[in-house]
Structure formats: C-alpha cells, structure tokens
C-alpha cells in the first residue's frame, strides 16, 4: 500500500506536467498568432476600416487571454506548474493570488473576448441589414465608448472572484485554497458566467448572422435579376465572404467553449460536493483539462481562420511580409555598396 502511493502521485504529476507543457505552448502560439493579426491589419492600408479595427480589438483580448494561459500554467497551476514561483513581498503575493491564481484575469478576458466578438457582429449587422443608418449609428465616438464599456464591464463582472483566495502565511506557499463565502456562491458564479459569457453572446450573434445571411442572399438575387453593375454585385459577394468568415469564428466559439461550460455547470467546485459521482472521479479531472485545452484553443484558432478563409487578410499578410523582406534586402544592398 505504501509503495503504491508515491507511484500514483508521480503518475499524476507526470500527467500534469504534460498538460502544462501543452497549455504553455498553446499560450505562446496564441500570443504570436494574435499579434500577427494586429500587425497585418495595422500595417496594410487596404484593411484600414472599422470592421478590421474591431478585429484588432478582438485579437488583443485573445492575445491577453493566451498570455494569461502561458503564465498561469507556467508558474501557478496547481499540481503541474512548470516553474515553482512564490512572490517574496506581501504586495506581490496579493497581486499573484488575486489576479492570477484566482482566475480573475481569465474570466474577465473571456468576457472581453466574447463581447468584442459581439461588437464585430453588431457592426456587420448594421452595415448589411440597416446600411442607411450605418454612419449615423456607428460613429467613431460611439464605437470607442462601446469598446471602453465592454472592457470595463468584463472586469466588473469578474470582481467577485477576487475575494475567493488570499495570500498564504506559509513562506513556501503563495496562496491559500479557494474558499467561498457561501455554498451558493459557486452556483451563482457559474450560472452567471454561463448566461453572461456564453448564452447571451451566442444567441444574439446567431440571430444576427442568420438575419445577415438572409439579407445578403436577397440582395444578391435582386442584383442578378436587375442585371446590376458588376461592382455592386462584387460588393455583396465580398460581404458574404466576410460574414462567412465571422460565422466560422462564431462556430469555433460555440464548439470549443460548450463542453467547458457544460462540465462546470454539472460539477461545481469542490468536485467532492458535485451532484454526480463522476464529479469526484479522476475522469472529471481529465475532462476538465481537455475542456481547458479547448477553451484556450478558441483564442488561438482565430488567426488560422483568417489565414485560410479571409482572402483580403491573406493578401495583406503576403504583402506585409514581402514588403518587409524587400526592404530588408534593399538595406543590405545599400550597406554593402558603401565604401569603407
């Protein structure tokens, strides 16, 4: 009996290390991919429009979420952190426990990512379904105010999580265990997160994209019957392609986030108090880790979708790197021709 305990612990720790390695790699890829999206859109003048600026804002939220995943699974994740790190100062422990170990940042950035995707949808919805009201409703000032409110609301909704963990008095341990002020607290927290961070955004965006698809098909059909100019028909086709890209982004959001929300609703923390025996088993822990992988993958996959499905972005990406390469080569030639 005694000889098997260390083996089991070692096996769990080994599995945990693999999870953390995958998560940190996923975080690095996500940061680089979303940083690339920001670079390409801001550099390519052909992408300088409101829709793509909103995509930059979405990429920033996803990039910060991936950065959080990298740091959390590198130094904080329970049982599988790759680096042992305990802040020395009390202030450092407060920041470490409240913002990182409590998962406050990940929940706030998740809200921000979902709501920024809603703003992208709103902009396309008004442009396609209500084009005559576009310039009046979506002014630059209103959009900046809306984006600012989204970021503020995302962090305000996540504030209760700050008070579920505290710095530890043990010098070898950074934070205390997660505790809730009331047994209903995790239930309210998870249901609220499901409604505000998943159900409301998915429902509203699905209805909006359905309405946009119907409107675009009707416009394309009318233009074909009227034998309209090719430029007008091409504009409708371009809008259809962009809406298709954003629909795929929404589909990835639904597919990758649904298992995690369902799992957390079924098995509330702590797992031993879950309503099902599955919640107290090791299979729940494996399921939760897989759901976490899918959860962060949602923030990694958007740049890949843009590359394969967003034709205008793909052209801008090639143009940006080709121009950088040519400029670099030109500088090398100029330096080589300077006499010593």
């Amino acid at each position: 009996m005694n000889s098997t305990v260390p083996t089991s612990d070692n096996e769990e720790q080994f599995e945990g290390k693999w999870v953390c390695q995958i998560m940190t790699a996923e975080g690095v890829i996500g940061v680089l991919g979303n940083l690339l999206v920001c670079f390409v859109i801001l550099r390519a003048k052909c992408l300088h429009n409101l829709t793509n600026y909103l995509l930059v804002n979405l990429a920033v939220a996803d990039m910060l979420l991936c950065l959080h995943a990298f740091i959390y699974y590198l130094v904080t994740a329970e049982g599988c952190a790759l680096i042992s790190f305990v802040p020395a100062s009390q202030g450092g422990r407060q920041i470490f426990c409240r913002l990182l170990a409590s998962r406050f940042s990940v929940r706030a950035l998740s809200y921000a990512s979902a709501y920024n995707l809603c703003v992208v949808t709103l902009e396309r919805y008004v442009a396609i379904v209500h084009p005559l009201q576009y310039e009046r409703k979506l002014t630059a000032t209103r959009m900046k105010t809306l984006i600012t409110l989204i970021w503020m609301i995302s962090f305000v909704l996540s504030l209760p999580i700050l008070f579920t963990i505290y710095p530890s008095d043990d010098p070898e341990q950074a934070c205390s265990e997660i505790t809730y002020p009331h047994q209903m607290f995790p239930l309210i927290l998870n249901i609220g997160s499901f409604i505000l961070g998943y159900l409301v955004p998915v429902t509203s965006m699905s209805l909006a994209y359905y309405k946009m698809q119907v409107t675009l098909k009707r416009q394309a059909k009318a233009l074909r019957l009227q034998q309209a100019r090719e430029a007008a028909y091409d504009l409708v086709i371009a809008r259809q392609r962009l809406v298709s890209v954003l629909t795929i982004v929404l589909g990835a959001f639904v597919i990758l986030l649904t298992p995690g929300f369902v799992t957390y609703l079924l098995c509330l923390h702590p797992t031993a108090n879950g309503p099902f025996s599955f919640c107290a088993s090791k299979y729940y822990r494996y399921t939760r880790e897989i759901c976490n992988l899918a959860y962060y993958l949602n923030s990694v996959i958007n740049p890949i979708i843009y590359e394969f499905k967003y034709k205008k972005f793909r052209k801008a990406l090639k143009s940006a790197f080709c121009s950088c390469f040519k400029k670099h080569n030109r500088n090398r030639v100029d330096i080589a021709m300077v006499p010593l």
Side-chain angles (χ1 to χ4, degrees):
M1 292 285 292
N2 292 336
S3 62
T4 59
V5 173
T7 305
S8 177
D9 292 341
N10 288 337
E11 287 178 356
E12 289 186 2
Q13 199 173 30
F14 179 77
E15 291 171 358
K17 291 295 182 182
W18 273 107
V19 170
C20 280
Q21 288 171 0
I22 295 173
M23 287 290 193
T24 50
E26 198 173 70
V28 172
I29 295 170
V31 169
L32 295 178
N34 286 288
L35 193 61
L36 180 64
V37 170
C38 298
F39 168 77
V40 171
I41 292 177
L42 295 177
R43 183 177 177 83
K45 291 184 179 180
C46 64
L47 296 178
H48 288 184
N49 55 52
L50 183 56
T51 306
N52 290 317
Y53 288 147
L54 293 175
L55 289 179
V56 168
N57 196 47
L58 174 62
V60 169
D62 287 335
M63 180 177 64
L64 292 176
L65 188 59
C66 291
L67 181 62
H68 176 276
F70 171 75
I71 297 173
Y72 179 81
Y73 283 94
L74 187 68
V75 300
T76 309
E78 183 181 356
C80 71
L82 299 177
I83 298 175
S84 178
F85 175 73
V86 177
S89 66
Q90 187 65 20
R93 289 193 177 197
Q94 286 282 357
I95 296 173
F96 183 82
C97 296
R98 304 281 189 179
L99 299 183
L100 192 62
S102 68
R103 307 303 298 274
F104 164 79
S105 298
V106 68
R107 187 159 302 212
L109 292 170
S110 298
Y111 282 133
S113 178
Y115 293 158
N116 278 307
L117 186 56
C118 287
V119 174
V120 177
T121 305
L122 172 66
E123 188 273 337
R124 283 293 84 199
Y125 178 82
V126 175
I128 293 170
V129 181
H130 304 289
L132 298 179
Q133 302 176 20
Y134 182 85
E135 293 186 0
R136 180 172 61 86
K137 288 187 174 182
L138 301 185
T139 62
T141 303
R142 285 184 177 180
M143 295 307 294
K144 289 176 183 178
T145 303
L146 179 59
I147 290 171
T148 303
L149 285 174
I150 280 175
W151 283 94
M152 291 176 61
I153 290 171
S154 299
F155 281 88
V156 169
L157 290 175
S158 306
L159 282 177
I161 304 176
L162 287 176
F163 306 100
T164 61
I165 193 169
Y166 304 91
S168 174
D169 295 329
D170 185 355
E172 302 296 327
Q173 185 177 351
C175 308
S176 65
E177 293 184 0
I178 294 177
T179 56
Y180 296 122
H182 192 274
Q183 61 181 358
M184 293 297 293
F185 187 89
L187 178 64
I188 296 172
L189 199 65
N190 282 282
I191 292 177
S193 177
F194 172 75
I195 294 173
L196 297 175
Y198 176 81
L199 190 61
V200 171
V202 167
T203 303
S204 58
M205 286 188 289
S206 298
L207 293 173
Y209 281 120
Y210 172 76
K211 182 66 174 178
M212 281 188 278
Q213 293 284 8
V214 170
T215 302
L216 286 171
K217 288 180 180 178
R218 186 172 61 246
Q219 290 176 354
K221 184 178 179 180
L223 289 173
R224 283 198 303 268
L225 292 175
Q226 296 171 6
Q227 295 182 347
R229 290 183 301 174
E230 187 176 350
Y233 185 73
D234 288 344
L235 176 61
V236 173
I237 297 301
R239 286 180 171 180
Q240 283 182 331
R241 288 173 179 170
L242 180 56
V243 169
S244 297
V245 172
L246 296 177
T247 305
I248 294 172
V249 172
L250 174 60
F253 181 89
V254 173
I255 292 170
L256 295 174
L257 266 65
T258 300
F261 278 105
V262 172
T263 302
Y264 278 99
L265 283 175
L266 290 175
C267 303
L268 301 174
H269 182 85
T271 58
N273 296 333
F276 306 104
S277 58
F278 164 75
C279 300
S281 67
K282 66 177 181 179
Y283 298 107
Y284 167 72
R285 183 167 59 86
Y286 299 150
T287 303
R288 189 177 62 183
E289 294 300 340
I290 293 172
C291 290
N292 285 338
L293 284 169
Y295 188 88
Y296 287 109
L297 183 61
N298 176 67
S299 297
V300 178
I301 203 171
N302 286 349
I304 300 172
I305 295 173
Y306 300 152
E307 168 62 24
F308 284 97
K309 291 295 183 179
Y310 193 2
K311 187 176 180 180
K312 205 170 182 180
F313 176 83
R314 188 163 61 247
K315 288 182 178 179
L317 177 64
K318 293 178 181 178
S319 176
F321 277 94
C322 287
S323 61
C324 288
F325 181 73
K326 290 177 181 178
K327 183 177 179 181
H328 177 67
N329 281 347
R330 185 166 61 249
N331 290 340
R332 288 182 61 184
V333 171
D334 293 341
I335 293 171
M337 291 178 66
V338 174
L340 296 176

